[in-house]
């Protein structure tokens, strides 16, 4: 029987016998959804565990349910660091259907309000006067983020075949690099990319995350996705420091929309010329092809545009997956792909590029068998949380040789590290 895990593992190019090393325990469904979210999570997290070690690994689905919603459980000193979503980040009725806005970052929020020409309290009425597709285009053109709700059929008619779940290619010649503790340059934000690099740090990589000095991260996102990493501030226009970091890296992970970092020489082909032997992992919302390739995007917007929200909702209103499952599963798949590509580089050489997208993950999820899970009880998160100094976080899911994985101390701190390798 081809399970989602075996399907994913084969697409990643893993050893066919690898999935035999994973023992899965717990209920078969732990997240209430029309879609096979638990199976997808097992496949993605299981692949990351298998790629990280040759030892037997385990995964409890209850721990998985907590990990896939890790941002919900973050506390500092026992107090919440805020809600994961801004009040405007919601479904809004349009003149011809529904629109999903994303306003978690202040610059995206400001763009939406400029387009609508109203106050926050007036947003529902302003949205209701406009057509969804017209409004999503206007918000995007203004530097914001929005997506009209579509059915899967309409989405495919507009955009064609979705990108593959994972794409892997060699973009340049290079000799195999020596085996050492991997250095990962983390140029990602929000969830998918940071989950990928958080997972690499968990499995022993030296991960250095860089953020622009004028783009502060939300405290909740920083606390949730920085464990095990060092976080520094750097303007990528500082070519000398940027190239020094690239020269010392083994893996570069980017999570911005396609082309956004090309001006800094961070396209995979450009990196292959200047720094042969790197593993380059690019994660995006919409993939790199077609009219949507250059757009900003987030998990909730991909759900809205590609048909998941329509299928997860009712006749009265669209719905959402029980977790930011596209983000989290793409992140774990990205970590697995990076680890396998790194191993291949050390065996065979080459500059290797791995490409994933939220919309590719969405299409894969939509293609998995749907059984429905209306009676799935909520998981008690308490046994699956970890205290790190004054932080409460979702513990990393999985075991190796029967021992549970744990986040290392100290607690993460945004922007306080020097932008250098150890």
């Amino acid at each position: 029987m081809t399970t989602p895990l075996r399907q994913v593992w084969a697409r990643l190019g893993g050893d066919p016998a690898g999935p035999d090393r994973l023992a899965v325990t717990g209920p078969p469904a732990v997240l209430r959804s029309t879609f096979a979210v638990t199976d997808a999570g097992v496949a993605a997290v299981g692949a990351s565990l298998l790629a990280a070690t040759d030892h037997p690994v385990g995964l409890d689905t209850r721990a998985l349910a907590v990990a896939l919603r890790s941002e919900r459980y973050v506390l500092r000193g026992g107090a919440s660091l805020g809600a994961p979503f801004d009040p405007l980040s919601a479904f809004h009725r349009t003149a011809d259907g529904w629109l999903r806005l994303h306003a978690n970052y202040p610059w995206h929020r400001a763009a939406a309000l400029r387009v609508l020409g109203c106050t926050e309290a007036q947003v529902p009425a302003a949205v209701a006067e406009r057509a969804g597709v017209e409004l999503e285009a206007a918000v995007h053109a203004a530097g914001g983020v929005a997506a009209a709700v579509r059915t899967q059929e309409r989405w495919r008619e507009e955009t064609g075949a979705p990108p593959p779940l994972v794409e892997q290619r060699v973009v340049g010649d290079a000799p195999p690099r020596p085996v050492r503790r991997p250095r990962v340059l983390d140029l990602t934000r929000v969830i998918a990319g940071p989950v990928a690099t958080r997972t690499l740090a968990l499995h022993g990589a030296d991960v250095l995350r860089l953020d622009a000095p004028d783009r502060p991260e939300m405290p909740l996102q920083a606390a949730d996705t920085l464990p095990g990493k060092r976080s520094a501030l750097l303007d990528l226009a500082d070519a000398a420091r940027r190239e020094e970091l690239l020269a010392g890296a083994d893996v570069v992970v980017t999570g911005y929309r396609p082309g956004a970092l090309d001006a800094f020489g961070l396209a995979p082909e450009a990196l292959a010329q200047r720094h042969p032997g790197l593993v380059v992992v690019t994660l995006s919302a919409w993939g790199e092809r077609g009219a949507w390739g250059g757009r900003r995007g987030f998990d909730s917007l991909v759900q809205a545009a590609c048909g998941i929200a329509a299928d997860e909702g009712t006749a009265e209103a669209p719905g959402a997956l029980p977790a930011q499952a596209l983000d989290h599963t793409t992140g774990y798949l990205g970590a697995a792909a990076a680890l396998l590509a790194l191993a291949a580089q050390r065996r065979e050489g080459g500059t290797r590029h791995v490409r994933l997208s939220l919309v590719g993950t969405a299409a894969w999820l939509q293609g998995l068998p749907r059984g429905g899970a209306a009676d799935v009880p909520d998981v008690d998160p308490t046994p699956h949380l970890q205290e790190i100094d004054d932080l409460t976080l979702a513990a990393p899911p999985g075991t190796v040789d029967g021992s549970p994985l744990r986040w290392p101390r100290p607690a993460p701190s945004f922007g306080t590290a020097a932008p250098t390798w150890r």
Side-chain angles (χ1 to χ4, degrees):
M1 178 181 177
T2 302
T3 63
L5 171 62
R6 291 189 180 277
Q7 182 187 82
V8 163
W9 190 243
R11 294 189 190 185
L12 291 169
D15 173 9
D20 296 334
R21 293 188 285 112
L22 175 66
V24 180
T25 57
V30 288
L31 292 166
R32 195 178 299 116
S33 175
T34 302
F35 296 90
V37 176
T38 303
D39 289 342
V42 167
V45 176
S48 72
L49 294 167
L50 294 171
T53 179
D54 293 329
H55 292 252
V57 293
L59 179 61
D60 188 283
T61 57
R62 290 158 292 205
L64 171 72
V66 175
L68 293 182
R69 300 191 283 191
S70 58
E71 62 276 5
R72 300 188 183 191
Y73 304 109
V74 178
L75 300 174
R76 187 180 293 279
S80 170
L81 290 179
F85 286 98
D86 182 89
L88 292 185
S89 296
F91 291 108
H92 300 272
R93 188 179 287 278
T94 64
D96 58 352
W98 292 87
L99 180 88
R100 180 82 192 221
L101 276 178
H102 194 285
N104 290 3
Y105 286 106
W107 46 93
H108 293 155
R109 193 174 194 275
L113 292 176
R114 281 199 308 274
V115 169
L116 293 168
C118 66
T119 66
E120 178 181 343
Q122 297 167 330
V123 164
V127 172
E129 296 177 353
R130 300 176 69 169
V133 171
E134 175 269 326
L135 188 51
E136 78 178 5
V139 171
H140 171 72
V145 202
V149 174
R150 296 163 170 84
T151 63
Q152 181 178 340
E153 293 72 23
R154 181 181 173 189
W155 173 249
R156 297 285 175 88
E157 288 173 0
E158 291 182 12
T159 62
L165 179 63
V166 58
E167 298 176 86
Q168 302 171 86
R169 60 189 183 128
V170 177
V171 293
D173 296 329
R177 292 190 175 191
V179 176
R180 66 172 182 181
R181 183 189 183 193
R183 290 175 172 174
V184 178
L185 195 61
D186 178 1
L187 305 174
T188 71
R189 290 177 75 84
V190 194
I191 299 177
V195 165
T197 51
R198 180 182 73 182
T199 304
L200 295 174
L202 175 69
H203 293 296
D206 178 10
V207 178
L208 178 63
R209 171 165 158 171
L210 298 181
D211 284 275
D214 62 342
R215 283 291 188 261
E217 183 58 282
M218 293 178 288
L220 173 63
Q221 292 285 355
D224 181 43
T225 61
L226 286 179
K229 309 178 191 181
R230 293 179 297 123
S231 168
L233 302 180
L234 181 70
D235 185 342
L236 291 177
D238 183 344
R241 182 58 60 87
R242 182 189 71 229
E243 293 302 305
E244 179 184 347
L245 291 172
L246 288 167
D250 299 296
V251 180
V252 176
V253 185
T254 67
Y256 293 79
R257 69 185 188 276
L261 300 179
D262 289 3
F264 305 109
L266 291 166
E269 293 79 5
L271 289 172
Q273 291 290 322
R274 301 196 319 281
H275 303 285
L278 277 173
V279 170
V280 184
V281 181
T282 56
L283 302 100
S284 64
W286 308 106
E288 300 188 11
R289 305 181 184 93
W292 285 75
R295 289 195 177 190
R296 306 164 198 87
F298 297 95
D299 182 312
S300 57
L301 303 185
V302 175
Q303 289 187 44
C306 75
I308 288 177
D311 286 350
E312 197 79 324
T314 66
E316 290 75 33
L321 294 174
Q324 298 285 86
L326 306 182
D327 265 328
H328 284 273
T329 53
T330 303
Y332 285 108
L333 289 171
L339 290 166
L340 291 173
L342 185 62
Q345 202 290 327
R346 288 169 169 174
R347 287 193 313 268
E348 304 162 14
T351 302
R352 294 171 182 270
H353 177 212
V354 179
R355 181 161 51 205
L356 303 98
S357 65
L358 301 188
V359 76
T361 301
W364 168 64
L365 178 62
Q366 288 171 305
L368 294 179
R370 304 186 199 180
D375 58 347
V376 174
D378 289 333
V379 170
D380 176 10
T382 307
H384 310 294
L385 302 178
Q386 179 184 343
E387 303 291 331
I388 305 178
D389 301 331
D390 65 337
L391 276 180
T392 301
L393 300 173
T399 63
V400 177
D401 280 332
S403 298
L405 297 169
R406 306 293 284 175
W407 301 121
R409 281 182 163 80
S413 181
F414 180 76
T416 58
T420 59
W421 295 116
R422 291 174 176 170

